[in-house]
Amino acid sequence: MTREKRSLAENVADNILAMITIDKKYALGDKLPNENELSEELQVSRTTLREAIRILVAYNVLEIQRGKGTYIKNNRELNEVLGLKELSTFQLNMKDLYEMRLIFEPQSAYYAAKRATDKELERILYYGKLEEELILKKEDRTEVEQAFHKSIAKATHNEFMNRLMPILYQAIDKGVLLSDTNEEMVQNTLNDHRMIMEFLSKRDAEGAKTAMKLHIIHAMRGFGIIDE
C-alpha cells in the first residue's frame, strides 16, 4: 500500500488503519461495525469495503471470524504502531530526539503534501485545529499533538516513516510537557502549526517542508539544544 497511484480499496484500507492507529476509534481485539454501518460511515460501496478488509486481513491487521464478524488482530507490529510496546529501551536525550525530528519530519511533510489522499489531509487538518483549541484552553494536548504528526507521517505512504514515529513520540511528549511552561514556545507552536496546515492544504510540498523545519528549529532553540 505504498504506491502513489492506489485503488479506492487501498485508500479505504488505509483509512480504516488510521481509524485504529491515529483516531484510536477501535482498539486491538475490537469488533468492527457491520458491513452496512461501516460502508455508510466510510461512504463507499460494500464491494469496495470487502476488498479493503481483504487487504487488511492480508496485512495481518484484521481477522474474519466466521459467524461472528471482523475483528482487529492483537499482533506485535500493530502493538508497536499503537505505541503500546516500547521500540527502544534507551533513555534518549532531547537533543538526539529533536535532531531525529529535524532529519525526518520536514521531508515527511514534503511527501505528505504530495501524496495525501483527501481523507488523510482532512485528518491532518482536524488534529491540527483540535490541538489549537486545546492550546488556547490550556488543556493537555499530548495525544492530539502525536496524532497530528502521526497523520502527516501516515500521509507520506512510506512504511519506514510510520515505524519510526513511536520513537519520535518521545520527543513530542517531552516537548509538550516542557514547552507548556514557556509562553513564547506555545505561541510558536500555534503559529508554526497554522503555517504547516496552510501549506499542506494547498499541497505546497516545499512550503510544508520549510514550515515543518522552522517548527522543529523553533522548539530546539526554545530548549537551548540547537547548534548555532
Side-chain angles (χ1 to χ4, degrees):
M1 290 192 288
T2 58
R3 300 188 308 276
E4 290 189 45
K5 292 184 179 178
R6 302 179 302 166
S7 69
L8 177 58
E10 287 175 314
N11 285 335
V12 172
D14 253 2
N15 192 22
I16 294 171
L17 184 60
M19 290 165 77
I20 300 166
T21 61
I22 299 175
D23 300 337
K24 308 292 177 68
K25 188 167 185 178
Y26 306 110
L28 301 181
D30 278 0
K31 180 183 177 182
L32 289 182
N34 67 46
E35 198 174 84
N36 287 336
E37 290 177 26
L38 196 54
S39 61
E40 186 176 335
E41 180 181 352
L42 296 170
Q43 297 183 316
V44 295
S45 69
R46 285 184 294 172
T47 304
T48 300
L49 176 61
R50 285 183 202 129
E51 180 58 30
I53 287 172
R54 276 197 291 270
I55 290 169
L56 290 173
V57 168
Y59 274 84
N60 207 30
V61 173
L62 300 178
E63 63 178 341
I64 299 170
Q65 297 183 13
R66 300 292 178 191
K68 292 184 178 180
T70 303
Y71 291 80
I72 298 156
K73 289 196 74 171
N74 190 352
N75 68 50
R76 183 180 61 83
E77 287 189 357
L78 204 54
N79 264 298
E80 289 177 355
V81 170
L82 286 167
L84 300 177
K85 179 178 180 181
E86 285 295 321
L87 293 186
S88 172
T89 56
F90 296 112
Q91 283 283 45
L92 301 175
N93 66 46
M94 286 287 283
K95 186 171 185 290
D96 289 348
L97 287 166
Y98 269 83
E99 282 179 358
M100 278 188 67
R101 291 192 69 186
L102 192 58
I103 291 165
F104 288 101
E105 288 196 73
Q107 203 64 36
S108 176
Y110 175 91
Y111 284 119
K114 283 182 167 289
R115 298 174 179 172
T117 64
D118 290 342
K119 185 67 179 177
E120 286 170 337
L121 189 54
E122 183 183 315
R123 180 174 278 109
I124 293 167
L125 298 179
Y126 167 78
Y127 282 114
K129 289 170 185 173
L130 180 58
E131 181 175 11
E132 184 174 329
E133 290 173 16
L134 293 174
I135 289 174
L136 294 173
K137 292 177 183 175
K138 299 187 183 302
E139 294 179 5
D140 178 47
R141 59 188 168 95
T142 308
E143 286 192 12
V144 175
E145 170 108 6
Q146 280 191 10
F148 176 68
H149 287 278
K150 189 171 186 177
S151 297
I152 293 172
K154 188 87 172 65
T156 65
H157 303 164
N158 182 300
E159 187 59 31
F160 181 77
M161 271 307 308
N162 286 292
R163 290 176 181 271
L164 181 68
M165 284 309 293
I167 297 174
L168 297 186
Y169 286 160
Q170 296 176 60
I172 292 170
D173 286 353
K174 288 181 181 179
V176 170
L177 288 171
L178 294 173
S179 66
D180 276 351
T181 62
N182 184 318
E183 189 55 42
E184 183 182 353
M185 291 183 71
V186 171
Q187 194 58 50
N188 279 340
T189 296
L190 275 174
N191 295 335
D192 292 348
H193 278 205
R194 285 170 185 162
M195 187 163 55
I196 292 165
M197 287 191 289
E198 181 180 351
F199 284 119
L200 285 172
S201 64
K202 293 177 180 176
R203 295 190 180 276
D204 182 335
E206 287 293 346
K209 177 181 177 179
T210 301
M212 183 64 80
K213 182 178 180 180
L214 286 172
H215 173 47
I216 296 168
I217 287 173
H218 280 153
M220 292 176 79
R221 283 183 177 152
F223 294 134
I225 54 174
I226 194 166
D227 296 325
E228 298 292 349

